[in-house]
Each structure stands twice: as C-alpha cells, then as structure tokens.
Amino acid sequence: MLEFPKLMRPHIAIIEDEKDLVELVRYNLRKEGFEVEGFTSGREGFEHLRRHPADLLILDIMLPDDDGLELCRRLRAQERTRSLPVIFLTAKGSEVDRILGLEMGGDDYVTKPFSPRELVARVKAVLRRRDRSEAPPEIIEVGDLRLDGATREVRLRGKSVELTSLEFKLLRFLASQPQRVFSRDRLLDEVWGTDRFVTPRTVDVHIRRLREKIEPEPNRPRYIQTVRGSGYRFATPAADAHEAG
Ligand code: CA
C-alpha cells in the first residue's frame, strides 16, 4: 500500500449520516485550515480510517449501519487508530452516560444541536491536548526495572531480560499507566487487538510468564499485581509505600 507523506494540515474525519451536517462541519473546518473527509456510513468510515488514519475523528453515535461507540471501540483495538482522538456527536443525554462509562481518556463529545463554532473550538482543544501528551514515555523506570520503548530492551537490576514482543507490549502498556487497574478484556483490546483469537485466560497465561521473567518472587509479585475480581495493575514501590502508610 502506498504511504503518502503526512501533510502539515491536520486531517479530520467525520462520520455522520446526516449529509447536511457533514457539509456544514466540513465547510467550517476547512475555513480554519483543516483537511476534512466526510462519511455517511460507519462501515465506510471505519474501512477508510484503518488504511488512512486521521488526526481526529468526529463520530456520530447513532448511525443507521453502526453504533458509534462500538465503532470507536473497534478503532481502539487497531494498532494504527489506537490513539485516534474522537469527538462524539450525540443527540440524547442517555448516550452521554455511555460515553462517560467508556475509558476514553482525552476525548470529548458535543450535543446536538451544536454551533459549528463550538465544534471547531473543541477540535482545536482536543488536538492541542493530544500534542502535549503523545505516546507513552520512551524510557520507563520503576524500582529495579527499566524499559526502553525505542530499543524494546528490558533490564532488571541492570541485567537484560528477554521478552517476546507480546510480553513487551503487555508490560509496557501496564507500566506506562502505573497503579491503574485494567480488566482482562481491556488488556486483550489494547495488547492483542481484535485480529487474534484469544480469551481472557490468555491474559493470565502471559502475565504468569511475564512475572517469571521480571519478578524477584513470581509468587509474590511486586510489579504486576492481581486485583481480585478486576484484573491487573502495575504497582510502583513508592505508591505502595504510600498506600501502606
Ligand atoms: Ca445519526
């Protein structure tokens, strides 16, 4: 597949089944210097984004052929669209609850009817936020453990540890957000994506292998802790000391 050089103008995609609304948003964003691609079908928009990730997606929740939140979840499970910022368009208060119930981080939503000016302001704000907090840090150092995202090297007390690429991905994901609890399903989405046939048990198996490689005492894990009934978290020694005290 051909890769075009990234243009300087931010690319915004909009998926919304109301054609007039797509045109209105397109007109207003273009005026502000954005490139805009509009889709009236969820399926079409999803297929396009998988191949040509945008800088931001404006996504209607109620689409005739799809559910916007479900579509967003599928995009999050894809490597290339994992951190695509999404602004939801919603028509109902009950949808807002569903948006907030998801772990959508720095994203936003706009309630219909909205003014184009408001939406443009939100787009700019989300892009600014994204620019400030891109990607996990390249080097993560916790206790005796050191992860280098660039070289994919892991060291424990200075000694190199051999991890499979999946183990590295899993460890890096957990360690980049210390103390946060992730369910097995969420880890499957984030680390495995949707392409693999895996079950939540798969996560347990990989966590066990990872512990055997990085934990001083695999049966009493210091870093990768089980949170009963919830999932796993990466604990930092300092945070634990704080909790204990
Ligand atoms: Ca709609």
Side-chain angles (χ1 to χ4, degrees):
M1 195 188 306
L2 270 174
E3 288 279 3
F4 296 98
K6 199 169 168 78
L7 298 169
M8 292 311 285
R9 289 154 74 96
H11 276 63
I12 314 292
I14 173 167
I15 306 178
E16 157 68 71
D17 56 298
E18 290 168 60
K19 270 207 179 89
D20 293 351
L21 200 49
V22 173
E23 286 314 313
L24 181 71
V25 170
R26 197 206 302 265
Y27 172 79
N28 281 278
L29 283 171
R30 277 194 177 151
K31 226 170 48 182
E32 296 287 325
F34 295 102
E35 295 283 339
V36 186
E37 272 157 318
F39 302 91
T40 49
S41 131
R43 197 172 37 81
E44 223 179 276
F46 178 75
E47 287 307 321
H48 178 88
L49 285 167
R50 279 177 57 175
R51 279 173 280 125
H52 314 280
D55 293 296
L56 184 144
L57 169 65
I58 298 168
L59 178 58
D60 185 27
I61 292 187
M62 287 278 282
L63 296 162
D65 68 335
D66 215 333
D67 174 287
L69 294 175
E70 174 56 26
L71 197 155
C72 177
R73 204 190 60 77
R74 293 204 303 274
L75 286 169
R76 292 272 188 265
Q78 303 271 333
E79 184 76 42
R80 298 186 72 185
T81 48
R82 177 145 301 157
S83 47
L84 169 70
V86 176
I87 296 179
F88 290 105
L89 299 181
T90 166
K92 290 187 303 223
S94 58
E95 291 175 348
V96 171
D97 292 340
R98 287 175 65 209
I99 297 170
L100 298 178
L102 298 172
E103 298 172 79
M104 290 299 176
D107 300 333
D108 205 349
Y109 66 90
V110 172
T111 312
K112 292 177 187 176
F114 56 85
S115 78
R117 225 176 62 185
E118 183 195 351
L119 182 63
V120 169
R122 298 288 187 95
V123 166
K124 288 180 177 173
V126 169
L127 287 177
R128 267 200 306 273
R129 220 149 57 203
R130 181 206 58 173
D131 291 344
R132 275 203 303 267
S133 64
E134 272 279 79
E138 286 294 286
I139 307 280
I140 299 173
E141 267 188 296
V142 183
D144 297 332
L145 204 58
R146 185 178 196 272
L147 272 84
D148 187 328
T151 62
R152 302 200 144 236
E153 195 183 33
V154 178
R155 285 181 174 272
L156 183 65
R157 267 178 252 112
K159 277 190 182 163
S160 180
V161 182
E162 289 290 319
L163 297 185
T164 65
S165 70
L166 195 85
E167 286 164 352
F168 182 85
K169 222 171 145 187
L170 178 60
L171 179 61
R172 190 178 185 214
F173 178 75
L174 287 166
S176 64
Q177 300 173 77
Q179 299 305 118
R180 223 176 128 182
V181 181
F182 295 101
S183 68
R184 290 169 176 80
D185 284 333
R186 176 79 196 280
L187 291 173
L188 282 178
D189 278 355
E190 294 287 349
V191 178
W192 279 261
T194 50
D195 301 335
R196 307 278 289 265
F197 182 77
V198 284
T199 69
R201 273 291 300 155
T202 311
V203 177
D204 299 339
V205 171
H206 281 83
I207 291 278
R208 199 172 62 228
R209 286 192 200 140
L210 204 45
R211 280 173 175 161
E212 278 160 11
K213 292 182 178 180
I214 65 155
E215 295 283 357
E217 293 177 87
N219 291 328
R220 291 173 56 200
R222 169 181 166 190
Y223 298 113
I224 306 175
Q225 299 184 338
T226 305
V227 181
R228 282 182 66 182
S230 301
Y232 295 103
R233 71 166 177 179
F234 189 90
T236 57
D240 275 6
H242 180 75
E243 266 174 31

